[in-house]
Amino acid sequence: KSERSALRLDNLPERDRERIARETDSIAPFRGQISTLATVFAGVAVINLVFQFPALVSGRSEALLAPLITALIAAGLFFLVGLMSANPVLSVEDVIRDLEEYESELKMLIGTWHYGIEYKQCFYISRDADGTWKYSEQLKGTTYSSILSPNMRWLQGELMDDSGKKAGVF
């Protein structure tokens, strides 16, 4: 096999994808440590609550402060562990499907968009046959326009007035 065909991941079985994801997961040790730390904080929060329970029953609400703070720290750490979860190795089909979904989401932006008092103001978003995204709007006799480029899940571009002067970013 050539090097080029060896790099293709579209024909890999699912178990091989999972193995590659595990082997390339450089955050795994940290995820385990943070998970352990979060569990310790959660345990401390429970213990604090048990020891503060008599004070809570007697009406001292400030006794809830230590358990609450440690529980919030534990929750934040558990949330961080979730953010650090391993990403799967995507197949070519997955990538193509994601791109098609992204394209269909962007196509929903095409058209005339009304806003303002009684929706009397509007701007236009279009896409040329060559795939170029455009924005245009007329305000107080001045036409503003932009060539838009995809950026993450949005479109953005430099906003220019009809004299070619930069007016901002869209």
Side-chain angles (χ1 to χ4, degrees):
K1 289 186 173 183
S2 70
E3 287 182 36
R4 191 173 289 258
S5 65
L7 293 174
R8 294 196 53 159
L9 299 175
D10 58 337
N11 294 325
L12 283 177
E14 187 62 31
R15 64 180 155 71
D16 288 341
R17 283 183 212 292
E18 290 171 3
R19 180 185 52 78
I20 291 170
R22 276 193 313 275
E23 290 173 0
T24 59
D25 184 10
S26 61
I27 297 179
F30 304 108
R31 189 171 43 253
Q33 292 169 350
I34 292 173
S35 181
T36 301
L37 189 61
T39 304
V40 168
F41 269 98
V44 169
V46 170
I47 292 169
N48 277 340
L49 188 59
V50 168
F51 283 110
Q52 296 297 334
F53 189 73
L56 283 171
V57 171
S58 68
R60 292 185 31 225
S61 60
E62 70 275 1
L64 197 57
L65 193 58
L68 181 63
I69 289 173
T70 51
L72 286 173
I73 292 171
L77 289 171
F78 280 125
F79 180 74
L80 183 61
V81 168
L83 292 177
M84 295 171 65
S85 50
N87 294 323
V89 176
L90 298 175
S91 68
V92 171
E93 292 86 11
D94 292 335
V95 172
I96 290 171
R97 187 184 64 247
D98 287 351
L99 287 172
E100 287 171 348
E101 287 175 10
Y102 177 58
E103 277 290 315
S104 67
E105 288 173 7
L106 287 179
K107 285 180 182 176
M108 290 189 294
L109 296 174
I110 295 173
T112 302
W113 294 82
H114 296 270
Y115 68 97
I117 299 172
E118 298 180 17
Y119 300 102
K120 290 184 177 179
Q121 293 172 287
C122 64
F123 62 89
Y124 309 93
I125 295 181
S126 61
R127 188 172 188 193
D128 292 346
D130 67 355
T132 303
W133 289 90
K134 294 183 178 182
Y135 165 88
S136 66
E137 178 174 14
Q138 192 153 18
L139 292 171
K140 298 180 183 176
T142 303
T143 301
Y144 295 92
S145 62
S146 178
I147 302 295
L148 303 173
S149 301
N151 182 3
M152 305 290 279
R153 299 298 253 184
W154 302 98
L155 295 170
Q156 76 174 39
E158 289 189 359
L159 194 60
M160 310 296 267
D161 65 16
D162 48 12
S163 68
K165 181 180 171 192
K166 183 177 175 182
V169 175
F170 177 85

Short mmCIF file of all heavy atoms in Angstrom, two decimals, residues 39-95:
data_model
loop_
_atom_site.label_atom_id
_atom_site.label_comp_id
_atom_site.label_asym_id
_atom_site.label_seq_id
_atom_site.Cartn_x
_atom_site.Cartn_y
_atom_site.Cartn_z
N THR A 39 -14.37 13.96 42.95
CA THR A 39 -15.00 13.00 43.87
C THR A 39 -14.64 13.32 45.31
O THR A 39 -15.49 13.24 46.21
CB THR A 39 -14.57 11.56 43.50
OG1 THR A 39 -14.90 11.33 42.12
CG2 THR A 39 -15.25 10.54 44.37
N VAL A 40 -13.38 13.69 45.54
CA VAL A 40 -12.96 14.07 46.89
C VAL A 40 -13.74 15.30 47.37
O VAL A 40 -14.26 15.33 48.50
CB VAL A 40 -11.43 14.33 46.94
CG1 VAL A 40 -11.02 15.00 48.24
CG2 VAL A 40 -10.67 13.03 46.73
N PHE A 41 -13.85 16.31 46.50
CA PHE A 41 -14.61 17.51 46.88
C PHE A 41 -16.07 17.19 47.16
O PHE A 41 -16.68 17.73 48.07
CB PHE A 41 -14.49 18.60 45.81
CG PHE A 41 -13.35 19.55 46.04
CD1 PHE A 41 -12.14 19.36 45.38
CD2 PHE A 41 -13.48 20.62 46.91
CE1 PHE A 41 -11.08 20.24 45.60
CE2 PHE A 41 -12.43 21.49 47.13
CZ PHE A 41 -11.22 21.30 46.46
N ALA A 42 -16.66 16.30 46.36
CA ALA A 42 -18.05 15.91 46.59
C ALA A 42 -18.19 15.21 47.94
O ALA A 42 -19.14 15.47 48.69
CB ALA A 42 -18.54 15.01 45.46
N GLY A 43 -17.23 14.34 48.26
CA GLY A 43 -17.24 13.66 49.57
C GLY A 43 -17.11 14.65 50.71
O GLY A 43 -17.80 14.55 51.73
N VAL A 44 -16.21 15.61 50.56
CA VAL A 44 -16.02 16.65 51.58
C VAL A 44 -17.31 17.46 51.76
O VAL A 44 -17.69 17.81 52.88
CB VAL A 44 -14.82 17.55 51.24
CG1 VAL A 44 -14.77 18.78 52.13
CG2 VAL A 44 -13.52 16.77 51.34
N ALA A 45 -17.99 17.75 50.67
CA ALA A 45 -19.24 18.50 50.75
C ALA A 45 -20.28 17.72 51.55
O ALA A 45 -20.98 18.29 52.40
CB ALA A 45 -19.77 18.80 49.35
N VAL A 46 -20.37 16.41 51.31
CA VAL A 46 -21.32 15.58 52.06
C VAL A 46 -20.95 15.54 53.53
O VAL A 46 -21.81 15.69 54.42
CB VAL A 46 -21.40 14.15 51.45
CG1 VAL A 46 -22.18 13.22 52.35
CG2 VAL A 46 -22.01 14.20 50.07
N ILE A 47 -19.66 15.34 53.81
CA ILE A 47 -19.20 15.31 55.21
C ILE A 47 -19.49 16.66 55.88
O ILE A 47 -19.98 16.71 57.03
CB ILE A 47 -17.70 14.94 55.28
CG1 ILE A 47 -17.52 13.48 54.85
CG2 ILE A 47 -17.14 15.19 56.67
CD1 ILE A 47 -16.08 13.07 54.64
N ASN A 48 -19.19 17.76 55.20
CA ASN A 48 -19.48 19.09 55.75
C ASN A 48 -20.96 19.24 56.06
O ASN A 48 -21.34 19.79 57.09
CB ASN A 48 -19.06 20.19 54.77
CG ASN A 48 -17.60 20.54 54.86
OD1 ASN A 48 -16.95 20.25 55.86
ND2 ASN A 48 -17.08 21.13 53.81
N LEU A 49 -21.80 18.77 55.17
CA LEU A 49 -23.24 18.87 55.36
C LEU A 49 -23.68 18.07 56.58
O LEU A 49 -24.50 18.54 57.38
CB LEU A 49 -23.98 18.40 54.11
CG LEU A 49 -25.48 18.62 54.10
CD1 LEU A 49 -25.81 20.11 54.25
CD2 LEU A 49 -26.09 18.09 52.82
N VAL A 50 -23.11 16.87 56.75
CA VAL A 50 -23.46 16.03 57.90
C VAL A 50 -23.06 16.73 59.20
O VAL A 50 -23.85 16.78 60.17
CB VAL A 50 -22.79 14.64 57.79
CG1 VAL A 50 -22.89 13.87 59.10
CG2 VAL A 50 -23.40 13.85 56.65
N PHE A 51 -21.84 17.28 59.24
CA PHE A 51 -21.39 17.94 60.47
C PHE A 51 -22.07 19.28 60.72
O PHE A 51 -22.17 19.72 61.86
CB PHE A 51 -19.86 18.11 60.45
CG PHE A 51 -19.12 16.85 60.75
CD1 PHE A 51 -18.39 16.21 59.78
CD2 PHE A 51 -19.16 16.28 62.03
CE1 PHE A 51 -17.71 15.03 60.05
CE2 PHE A 51 -18.49 15.11 62.31
CZ PHE A 51 -17.76 14.47 61.31
N GLN A 52 -22.53 19.92 59.67
CA GLN A 52 -23.22 21.21 59.83
C GLN A 52 -24.72 21.06 60.04
O GLN A 52 -25.41 22.03 60.30
CB GLN A 52 -22.95 22.10 58.60
CG GLN A 52 -21.51 22.48 58.40
CD GLN A 52 -20.97 23.33 59.54
OE1 GLN A 52 -21.71 24.02 60.22
NE2 GLN A 52 -19.67 23.26 59.75
N PHE A 53 -25.23 19.83 59.93
CA PHE A 53 -26.67 19.60 60.02
C PHE A 53 -27.27 20.13 61.34
O PHE A 53 -28.30 20.79 61.31
CB PHE A 53 -27.00 18.12 59.83
CG PHE A 53 -28.45 17.87 59.69
CD1 PHE A 53 -29.13 18.23 58.53
CD2 PHE A 53 -29.18 17.29 60.73
CE1 PHE A 53 -30.48 18.01 58.39
CE2 PHE A 53 -30.53 17.06 60.60
CZ PHE A 53 -31.19 17.42 59.43
N PRO A 54 -26.63 19.87 62.50
CA PRO A 54 -27.22 20.41 63.75
C PRO A 54 -27.32 21.94 63.72
O PRO A 54 -28.31 22.51 64.19
CB PRO A 54 -26.25 19.94 64.84
CG PRO A 54 -25.56 18.75 64.26
CD PRO A 54 -25.49 19.00 62.78
N ALA A 55 -26.33 22.60 63.16
CA ALA A 55 -26.37 24.07 63.08
C ALA A 55 -27.47 24.52 62.14
O ALA A 55 -28.15 25.53 62.38
CB ALA A 55 -25.02 24.61 62.62
N LEU A 56 -27.69 23.78 61.06
CA LEU A 56 -28.76 24.12 60.12
C LEU A 56 -30.13 23.96 60.77
O LEU A 56 -31.01 24.80 60.59
CB LEU A 56 -28.69 23.22 58.87
CG LEU A 56 -27.62 23.57 57.86
CD1 LEU A 56 -27.52 22.46 56.82
CD2 LEU A 56 -27.93 24.88 57.20
N VAL A 57 -30.28 22.88 61.56
CA VAL A 57 -31.56 22.64 62.24
C VAL A 57 -31.85 23.75 63.24
O VAL A 57 -33.01 24.15 63.42
CB VAL A 57 -31.55 21.25 62.92
CG1 VAL A 57 -32.75 21.05 63.82
CG2 VAL A 57 -31.48 20.16 61.87
N SER A 58 -30.80 24.27 63.87
CA SER A 58 -31.00 25.34 64.85
C SER A 58 -31.19 26.70 64.20
O SER A 58 -31.31 27.71 64.88
CB SER A 58 -29.84 25.37 65.84
OG SER A 58 -28.65 25.78 65.19
N GLY A 59 -31.20 26.74 62.85
CA GLY A 59 -31.53 27.98 62.16
C GLY A 59 -30.34 28.80 61.70
O GLY A 59 -30.50 29.92 61.23
N ARG A 60 -29.13 28.29 61.82
CA ARG A 60 -27.95 29.02 61.37
C ARG A 60 -27.68 28.69 59.91
O ARG A 60 -27.01 27.73 59.57
CB ARG A 60 -26.75 28.65 62.24
CG ARG A 60 -26.90 29.15 63.66
CD ARG A 60 -25.68 28.93 64.55
NE ARG A 60 -24.42 28.97 63.85
CZ ARG A 60 -23.46 28.07 64.06
NH1 ARG A 60 -23.63 27.07 64.88
NH2 ARG A 60 -22.31 28.17 63.40
N SER A 61 -28.22 29.51 59.02
CA SER A 61 -28.10 29.24 57.58
C SER A 61 -26.67 29.40 57.07
O SER A 61 -26.32 28.82 56.04
CB SER A 61 -29.05 30.14 56.80
OG SER A 61 -28.74 31.50 57.04
N GLU A 62 -25.84 30.16 57.79
CA GLU A 62 -24.45 30.32 57.35
C GLU A 62 -23.68 29.00 57.44
O GLU A 62 -22.63 28.84 56.81
CB GLU A 62 -23.72 31.41 58.14
CG GLU A 62 -23.42 31.08 59.59
CD GLU A 62 -24.59 31.38 60.54
OE1 GLU A 62 -25.64 31.83 60.09
OE2 GLU A 62 -24.41 31.15 61.75
N ALA A 63 -24.22 28.03 58.17
CA ALA A 63 -23.58 26.72 58.26
C ALA A 63 -23.64 25.98 56.92
O ALA A 63 -22.90 25.03 56.70
CB ALA A 63 -24.26 25.89 59.35
N LEU A 64 -24.49 26.43 56.04
CA LEU A 64 -24.61 25.81 54.73
C LEU A 64 -23.52 26.28 53.76
O LEU A 64 -23.31 25.67 52.71
CB LEU A 64 -25.99 26.15 54.15
CG LEU A 64 -26.51 25.33 53.00
CD1 LEU A 64 -26.55 23.86 53.38
CD2 LEU A 64 -27.89 25.80 52.61
N LEU A 65 -22.79 27.33 54.14
CA LEU A 65 -21.81 27.93 53.25
C LEU A 65 -20.68 26.96 52.86
O LEU A 65 -20.38 26.80 51.67
CB LEU A 65 -21.23 29.19 53.90
CG LEU A 65 -20.42 30.10 53.00
CD1 LEU A 65 -21.26 30.56 51.83
CD2 LEU A 65 -19.91 31.29 53.78
N ALA A 66 -20.04 26.30 53.82
CA ALA A 66 -18.92 25.39 53.52
C ALA A 66 -19.37 24.22 52.65
O ALA A 66 -18.72 23.91 51.63
CB ALA A 66 -18.26 24.90 54.80
N PRO A 67 -20.48 23.53 52.99
CA PRO A 67 -20.91 22.44 52.09
C PRO A 67 -21.28 22.94 50.70
O PRO A 67 -20.99 22.27 49.70
CB PRO A 67 -22.15 21.85 52.79
CG PRO A 67 -22.07 22.30 54.19
CD PRO A 67 -21.30 23.57 54.19
N LEU A 68 -21.88 24.10 50.62
CA LEU A 68 -22.29 24.64 49.32
C LEU A 68 -21.07 24.96 48.45
O LEU A 68 -21.03 24.61 47.27
CB LEU A 68 -23.15 25.89 49.51
CG LEU A 68 -23.67 26.54 48.24
CD1 LEU A 68 -24.59 25.58 47.51
CD2 LEU A 68 -24.38 27.83 48.56
N ILE A 69 -20.07 25.59 49.03
CA ILE A 69 -18.87 25.95 48.28
C ILE A 69 -18.15 24.70 47.79
O ILE A 69 -17.77 24.60 46.62
CB ILE A 69 -17.92 26.84 49.12
CG1 ILE A 69 -18.54 28.23 49.27
CG2 ILE A 69 -16.54 26.94 48.48
CD1 ILE A 69 -17.81 29.14 50.22
N THR A 70 -17.98 23.71 48.66
CA THR A 70 -17.28 22.49 48.22
C THR A 70 -18.11 21.73 47.18
O THR A 70 -17.56 21.14 46.26
CB THR A 70 -16.93 21.57 49.41
OG1 THR A 70 -18.09 21.36 50.21
CG2 THR A 70 -15.83 22.17 50.26
N ALA A 71 -19.44 21.74 47.30
CA ALA A 71 -20.29 21.09 46.30
C ALA A 71 -20.18 21.80 44.95
O ALA A 71 -20.15 21.15 43.90
CB ALA A 71 -21.74 21.05 46.77
N LEU A 72 -20.11 23.14 44.97
CA LEU A 72 -19.96 23.89 43.72
C LEU A 72 -18.61 23.61 43.06
O LEU A 72 -18.53 23.48 41.83
CB LEU A 72 -20.13 25.39 43.97
CG LEU A 72 -21.56 25.85 44.23
CD1 LEU A 72 -21.58 27.33 44.63
CD2 LEU A 72 -22.43 25.62 43.02
N ILE A 73 -17.57 23.51 43.86
CA ILE A 73 -16.25 23.18 43.31
C ILE A 73 -16.29 21.79 42.69
O ILE A 73 -15.79 21.57 41.58
CB ILE A 73 -15.16 23.28 44.40
CG1 ILE A 73 -14.96 24.75 44.80
CG2 ILE A 73 -13.84 22.67 43.91
CD1 ILE A 73 -14.07 24.94 46.01
N ALA A 74 -16.91 20.83 43.39
CA ALA A 74 -17.03 19.46 42.86
C ALA A 74 -17.80 19.47 41.54
O ALA A 74 -17.39 18.83 40.57
CB ALA A 74 -17.70 18.55 43.87
N ALA A 75 -18.91 20.20 41.51
CA ALA A 75 -19.72 20.25 40.29
C ALA A 75 -18.92 20.85 39.14
O ALA A 75 -18.97 20.36 38.00
CB ALA A 75 -20.99 21.06 40.53
N GLY A 76 -18.16 21.91 39.41
CA GLY A 76 -17.33 22.54 38.39
C GLY A 76 -16.26 21.58 37.87
O GLY A 76 -16.01 21.51 36.66
N LEU A 77 -15.67 20.82 38.76
CA LEU A 77 -14.65 19.85 38.34
C LEU A 77 -15.26 18.71 37.52
O LEU A 77 -14.68 18.28 36.53
CB LEU A 77 -13.90 19.31 39.56
CG LEU A 77 -12.97 20.31 40.25
CD1 LEU A 77 -12.46 19.74 41.58
CD2 LEU A 77 -11.81 20.69 39.35
N PHE A 78 -16.44 18.23 37.95
CA PHE A 78 -17.12 17.19 37.15
C PHE A 78 -17.48 17.72 35.77
O PHE A 78 -17.37 17.02 34.76
CB PHE A 78 -18.37 16.67 37.86
CG PHE A 78 -18.07 15.67 38.94
CD1 PHE A 78 -18.52 15.86 40.23
CD2 PHE A 78 -17.35 14.51 38.66
CE1 PHE A 78 -18.26 14.93 41.23
CE2 PHE A 78 -17.09 13.58 39.65
CZ PHE A 78 -17.54 13.79 40.94
N PHE A 79 -17.90 18.97 35.70
CA PHE A 79 -18.21 19.59 34.41
C PHE A 79 -16.96 19.65 33.54
O PHE A 79 -16.99 19.34 32.34
CB PHE A 79 -18.79 20.99 34.62
CG PHE A 79 -19.13 21.70 33.35
CD1 PHE A 79 -20.24 21.34 32.61
CD2 PHE A 79 -18.33 22.74 32.89
CE1 PHE A 79 -20.55 21.99 31.43
CE2 PHE A 79 -18.64 23.40 31.71
CZ PHE A 79 -19.76 23.02 30.98
N LEU A 80 -15.83 20.02 34.14
CA LEU A 80 -14.56 20.08 33.42
C LEU A 80 -14.17 18.70 32.88
O LEU A 80 -13.69 18.59 31.74
CB LEU A 80 -13.46 20.62 34.34
CG LEU A 80 -12.09 20.81 33.74
CD1 LEU A 80 -12.13 21.79 32.59
CD2 LEU A 80 -11.11 21.28 34.80
N VAL A 81 -14.39 17.66 33.66
CA VAL A 81 -14.10 16.31 33.20
C VAL A 81 -14.93 16.00 31.96
O VAL A 81 -14.44 15.40 30.99
CB VAL A 81 -14.36 15.27 34.33
CG1 VAL A 81 -14.36 13.85 33.78
CG2 VAL A 81 -13.33 15.41 35.42
N GLY A 82 -16.20 16.42 31.96
CA GLY A 82 -17.04 16.20 30.79
C GLY A 82 -16.53 16.93 29.56
O GLY A 82 -16.57 16.41 28.45
N LEU A 83 -16.00 18.15 29.77
CA LEU A 83 -15.44 18.90 28.64
C LEU A 83 -14.18 18.26 28.10
O LEU A 83 -13.84 18.42 26.93
CB LEU A 83 -15.12 20.34 29.07
CG LEU A 83 -16.29 21.25 29.39
CD1 LEU A 83 -15.79 22.61 29.86
CD2 LEU A 83 -17.18 21.42 28.17
N MET A 84 -13.48 17.54 28.95
CA MET A 84 -12.22 16.92 28.56
C MET A 84 -12.40 15.52 27.99
O MET A 84 -11.41 14.83 27.75
CB MET A 84 -11.29 16.85 29.79
CG MET A 84 -10.86 18.18 30.33
SD MET A 84 -9.99 18.03 31.91
CE MET A 84 -8.54 17.14 31.44
N SER A 85 -13.62 15.09 27.76
CA SER A 85 -13.83 13.73 27.29
C SER A 85 -13.18 13.53 25.92
O SER A 85 -13.07 14.45 25.12
CB SER A 85 -15.30 13.35 27.26
OG SER A 85 -16.04 14.32 26.61
N ALA A 86 -12.76 12.31 25.67
CA ALA A 86 -12.04 11.98 24.44
C ALA A 86 -12.93 12.16 23.22
O ALA A 86 -14.10 11.84 23.25
CB ALA A 86 -11.53 10.55 24.51
N ASN A 87 -12.34 12.68 22.17
CA ASN A 87 -13.06 12.83 20.91
C ASN A 87 -12.85 11.60 20.05
O ASN A 87 -11.73 11.13 19.91
CB ASN A 87 -12.56 14.07 20.16
CG ASN A 87 -12.90 15.35 20.89
OD1 ASN A 87 -13.96 15.45 21.50
ND2 ASN A 87 -12.00 16.31 20.86
N PRO A 88 -13.91 11.11 19.44
CA PRO A 88 -13.75 9.94 18.58
C PRO A 88 -13.04 10.30 17.28
O PRO A 88 -13.02 11.45 16.87
CB PRO A 88 -15.20 9.52 18.30
CG PRO A 88 -15.97 10.78 18.43
CD PRO A 88 -15.28 11.59 19.49
N VAL A 89 -12.45 9.30 16.65
CA VAL A 89 -11.85 9.48 15.33
C VAL A 89 -13.00 9.40 14.33
O VAL A 89 -13.68 8.39 14.22
CB VAL A 89 -10.80 8.40 15.03
CG1 VAL A 89 -10.27 8.55 13.62
CG2 VAL A 89 -9.68 8.47 16.05
N LEU A 90 -13.25 10.50 13.63
CA LEU A 90 -14.37 10.55 12.71
C LEU A 90 -14.05 9.84 11.40
O LEU A 90 -12.91 9.89 10.92
CB LEU A 90 -14.73 12.01 12.41
CG LEU A 90 -15.19 12.85 13.59
CD1 LEU A 90 -15.40 14.29 13.16
CD2 LEU A 90 -16.45 12.29 14.20
N SER A 91 -15.06 9.23 10.84
CA SER A 91 -14.90 8.64 9.52
C SER A 91 -15.10 9.73 8.48
O SER A 91 -15.62 10.81 8.77
CB SER A 91 -15.93 7.52 9.31
OG SER A 91 -17.22 8.07 9.23
N VAL A 92 -14.71 9.44 7.24
CA VAL A 92 -14.91 10.39 6.16
C VAL A 92 -16.40 10.68 5.99
O VAL A 92 -16.81 11.82 5.78
CB VAL A 92 -14.28 9.85 4.85
CG1 VAL A 92 -14.66 10.72 3.67
CG2 VAL A 92 -12.78 9.76 4.98
N GLU A 93 -17.23 9.64 6.16
CA GLU A 93 -18.68 9.82 6.05
C GLU A 93 -19.20 10.78 7.11
O GLU A 93 -20.07 11.61 6.83
CB GLU A 93 -19.42 8.48 6.16
CG GLU A 93 -19.20 7.54 5.00
CD GLU A 93 -17.94 6.69 5.15
OE1 GLU A 93 -17.33 6.67 6.24
OE2 GLU A 93 -17.55 6.05 4.17
N ASP A 94 -18.66 10.67 8.35
CA ASP A 94 -19.07 11.57 9.43
C ASP A 94 -18.72 13.02 9.10
O ASP A 94 -19.51 13.94 9.32
CB ASP A 94 -18.39 11.19 10.75
CG ASP A 94 -18.88 9.86 11.30
OD1 ASP A 94 -20.01 9.44 10.96
OD2 ASP A 94 -18.11 9.23 12.07
N VAL A 95 -17.51 13.22 8.58
CA VAL A 95 -17.06 14.57 8.24
C VAL A 95 -17.93 15.15 7.12
O VAL A 95 -18.37 16.30 7.19
CB VAL A 95 -15.57 14.58 7.84
CG1 VAL A 95 -15.15 15.93 7.30
CG2 VAL A 95 -14.70 14.17 9.01
#
